[in-house]
Amino acid sequence: MYCGTMAAHMGWGIIEEEGWRKGPWTSEEDRLLIEYVRLHGEGRWNSVARLAGLKRNGKSCRLRWVNYLRPDLKRGQITPHEESIILELHARWGNRWSTIARSLPGRTDNEIKNYWRTHFKKKAKVPSDASEKAKTRLLRRQQFHHQQQQQQQLQLINQADMKRIMALLDENDTKISSWPPQAAQGKQDVDTSTIAYPNHTSTEEQGFFYSMLNGNVPHVAEASSSEDSFLWDGLWNLDDVHVNFTTSACATGKASTFHNFVVPFC
DNA sequence: AACAAGTGCAACCGCTTTCCT
DNA sequence: CAGGAAAGCGGTTGCACTTGT
């Protein structure tokens, strides 16, 4: 990490304003912050300076932790999958980076925001094939969604199938613990009232869930590594057929299990 | 080889929202 | 309920690095 040396060489970062350090963090500061969080947990950021001996304000500490030091952060490049998710969610929500970030565990709002600005802002002028396709998909999805709304949620899951799914999930909980591969994992605050469920009337689109009903979970688990693109294409298709899953089904108390394999955003 | 332009990303700023007293 | 503090969020900046000429 060059920041430490940069701070040392450039001088900025050593500048103090009202007693607070600014600029790039040094490895020693990182160490102090990590130690602080280990001992006291996240939050109370304004206490960090006092308790950890850091000359940084709370805001700076929080940002450093959230964007850089958190152990659950995913390093490395944004994958094509994540890119498509970002595209989708940005089309839906606009610049609500933190909301988008919640659907991409291990990625920060700052990271996504930077990625968007550097990759898609310029692409917006000369659209790439990928972004064009994503937009086309989105349009189709929105059209379909509109149709679905007009149908007044006619295709709700029936309780018998739901019970079978839940029973299978109980059986296979460990098998699918690594599924879905990225986005849904670690998500704690799924809005269970909007969980999508495939269309019962179309065998093509309900394929995945009927695989579940037939006990084909291991295939899904295998897909989590090398075949995740296949799997995620499947998830997008689930969204395409977007049938609202009523809150009554969630009221079974299985939502916490169920949300492990639903689309990572609603 | 030297310079300019472009890119990526960490960090800051200011505003808004949420929490606490 | 009101006001202040803390946390969260999106926008912006600035610098090192990379690429093109």
Side-chain angles (χ1 to χ4, degrees):
Chain A
M1 180 68 193
Y2 64 81
C3 289
T5 49
M6 181 171 70
H9 288 130
M10 307 287 292
W12 87 291
I14 311 175
I15 297 168
E16 293 186 19
E17 191 178 291
E18 295 175 6
W20 299 121
R21 269 178 56 87
K22 286 187 176 182
W25 281 65
T26 64
S27 52
E28 175 63 11
E29 287 176 312
D30 283 346
R31 193 187 63 74
L32 288 171
L33 182 55
I34 290 168
E35 183 67 11
Y36 170 85
V37 174
R38 193 180 65 79
L39 291 174
H40 300 95
E42 295 183 45
R44 303 274 96 192
W45 294 111
N46 283 338
S47 317
V48 175
R50 185 165 37 86
L51 296 175
L54 277 165
K55 290 187 174 180
R56 296 275 182 173
N57 64 25
K59 248 181 162 178
S60 183
C61 292
R62 178 190 155 273
L63 212 62
R64 181 64 176 174
W65 175 258
V66 167
N67 287 336
Y68 198 82
L69 297 176
R70 252 171 47 201
D72 58 329
L73 286 180
K74 190 187 290 178
R75 302 292 182 187
Q77 289 201 322
I78 300 280
T79 66
H81 245 136
E82 290 171 317
E83 180 180 306
S84 67
I85 292 171
I86 292 168
L87 268 172
E88 293 276 346
L89 296 184
H90 188 271
R92 186 178 299 189
W93 289 326
N95 295 357
R96 294 164 66 179
W97 306 115
S98 62
T99 306
I100 293 170
R102 284 189 205 108
S103 296
L104 292 164
R107 302 295 186 185
T108 68
D109 54 353
N110 208 34
E111 194 176 8
I112 293 168
K113 181 171 61 182
N114 281 333
Y115 187 79
W116 173 267
R117 293 179 75 85
T118 54
H119 288 78
F120 298 134
K121 270 238 164 161
K122 64 189 176 202
K123 283 183 183 176
K125 294 172 185 171
V126 185
S128 68
D129 282 355
S131 60
E132 261 317 272
K133 283 177 183 174
K135 284 175 184 172
T136 305
R137 263 205 334 260
L138 182 76
L139 273 174
R140 272 193 287 122
R141 183 165 307 126
Q142 286 172 339
Q143 286 170 356
F144 191 88
H145 191 97
H146 183 65
Q147 288 175 356
Q148 289 296 316
Q149 286 178 328
Q150 288 182 326
Q151 288 174 14
Q152 298 274 326
Q153 302 179 346
L154 288 175
Q155 292 139 332
L156 299 176
I157 180 176
N158 71 46
Q159 294 297 323
D161 279 353
M162 196 61 223
K163 282 179 183 172
R164 293 184 62 195
I165 290 172
M166 292 312 175
L168 276 163
L169 284 173
D170 283 344
E171 278 178 32
N172 294 293
D173 234 355
T174 53
K175 294 178 188 172
I176 64 170
S177 60
S178 63
W179 192 91
Q182 295 161 3
Q185 278 197 25
K187 184 170 174 57
Q188 304 297 315
D189 53 349
V190 170
D191 179 3
T192 51
S193 67
T194 55
I195 291 171
Y197 186 79
N199 194 334
H200 264 239
T201 60
S202 162
T203 52
E204 184 183 357
E205 286 137 2
Q206 63 193 224
F208 170 73
F209 272 76
Y210 277 80
S211 293
M212 294 289 292
L213 287 172
N214 291 330
N216 290 338
V217 173
H219 174 71
V220 172
E222 288 160 13
S224 65
S225 54
S226 60
E227 296 174 26
D228 60 357
S229 63
F230 148 77
L231 184 57
W232 277 90
D233 285 345
L235 276 176
W236 298 121
N237 292 336
L238 287 185
D239 198 30
D240 277 336
V241 295
H242 211 108
V243 176
N244 285 330
F245 176 50
T246 56
T247 50
S248 65
C250 299
T252 60
K254 297 282 188 174
S256 61
T257 305
F258 191 64
H259 84 230
N260 284 329
F261 69 95
V262 299
V263 287
F265 57 89
C266 301

